[in-house]
């Protein structure tokens, strides 16, 4: 009986070692950048945005109403018929998601949230969130690098006042998808 107990313990230890080894071999995953729930920007931002998403052969349009202040943010995503697809908001330091209907955007939701934050949050906030990421901005272009590899680039071509990216258009590009955002402030 003692031999069976020792064999069981050895199997458990080996299983644990295998799981830890596999965990160390993972690559960049959705959760590698923790979404921010606060912003150092003191101004309340409310905007209506039209999003054009392209992911491989999939293309779709979305209407997104966004609101952000220092300690809270929320966005409501609507499909082309004006029906609510998802509501996402930060509450008490946590991101809460309410999916209301099936839509291709639901499968890309973590990446779309990340794209929105990478595009509109102050660089200092982004950099402080995770030191593995490096953010740089120059000449109307923002880049996000993970372990030295370019993961996203944001072009602010149609924004006349760079201090207010909430007015105008930008393009967000990654190897996985691209996003064109037309933004109009509501406040």
């Amino acid at each position: 009986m003692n031999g069976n107990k020792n064999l069981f313990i050895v199997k458990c230890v080996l299983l644990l070692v295998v799981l830890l080894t596999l965990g160390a071999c993972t690559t960049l995953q959705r959760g590698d950048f923790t979404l921010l729930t606060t912003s150092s920007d003191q101004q309340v931002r409310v905007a209506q945005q039209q999003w054009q998403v392209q992911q491989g052969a999939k293309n779709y349009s979305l209407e997104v109403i966004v609101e952000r202040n220092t300690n809270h943010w929320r966005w409501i995503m609507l499909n082309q018929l004006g029906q609510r697809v998802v509501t996402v908001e930060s509450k008490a330091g946590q991101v809460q998601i309410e999916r209301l209907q099936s839509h291709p955007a639901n499968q890309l939701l973590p990446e779309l949230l990340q794209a929105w934050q990478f595009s509109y949050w102050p660089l200092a906030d982004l950099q402080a969130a995770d030191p593995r990421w490096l953010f740089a901005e120059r000449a109307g272009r923002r880049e996000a690098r993970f372990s030295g590899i370019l993961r996203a680039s944001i072009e602010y071509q149609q924004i006349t006042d760079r201090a207010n990216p909430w007015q105008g258009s930008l393009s967000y590009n990654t190897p996985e998808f691209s996003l064109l955002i037309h933004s109009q402030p509501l406040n």
Side-chain angles (χ1 to χ4, degrees), residues 21-172:
T21 302
L22 288 175
C25 295
T26 60
T27 58
L28 181 66
Q29 298 295 317
R30 292 174 164 205
D32 275 348
F33 184 85
T34 303
L35 293 174
L36 301 173
T37 57
T38 61
S39 171
S40 63
D41 183 357
Q42 298 296 311
Q43 185 171 346
V44 174
R45 307 286 185 171
V46 181
Q48 178 179 358
Q49 298 180 334
Q50 291 79 39
W51 291 18
Q52 299 292 321
V53 181
Q54 181 175 359
Q55 183 185 25
K58 294 181 202 171
N59 292 304
Y60 47 91
S61 300
L62 298 160
E63 185 86 14
V64 184
I65 308 300
V66 298
E67 174 187 2
R68 188 196 74 192
N69 62 40
T70 56
N71 297 313
H72 175 263
W73 59 262
R74 168 186 20 230
W75 45 270
I76 301 168
M77 182 181 287
L78 309 170
N79 66 15
Q80 290 178 309
L81 300 174
Q83 299 167 323
R84 192 162 45 133
V85 174
V86 67
T87 299
V88 184
E89 69 182 308
S90 68
K91 282 186 180 176
Q94 299 292 318
V95 176
Q96 298 179 351
I97 300 171
E98 179 185 15
R99 289 179 174 87
L100 296 149
Q101 63 175 274
S102 179
H103 191 279
N106 282 326
Q107 296 173 355
L108 201 58
L109 197 54
E111 291 85 353
L112 292 173
L113 282 163
Q114 180 176 288
W116 180 63
Q117 289 197 343
F118 282 7
S119 299
Y120 292 100
W121 253 247
L123 281 179
D125 293 353
L126 295 169
Q127 194 61 61
D130 190 332
R132 298 175 301 169
W133 285 84
L134 178 64
F135 296 89
E137 187 170 338
R138 62 187 160 291
R141 178 183 171 102
R142 183 179 279 190
E143 293 180 343
R145 295 180 182 274
F146 184 85
S147 297
I149 300 169
L150 181 64
R151 295 296 300 149
S153 64
I154 302 107
E155 302 284 339
Y156 298 94
Q157 315 99 322
Q158 296 180 10
I159 294 180
T160 54
D161 179 8
R162 194 50 204 106
N164 184 13
W166 300 85
Q167 170 71 49
S169 300
L170 63 87
S171 63
Y172 180 92

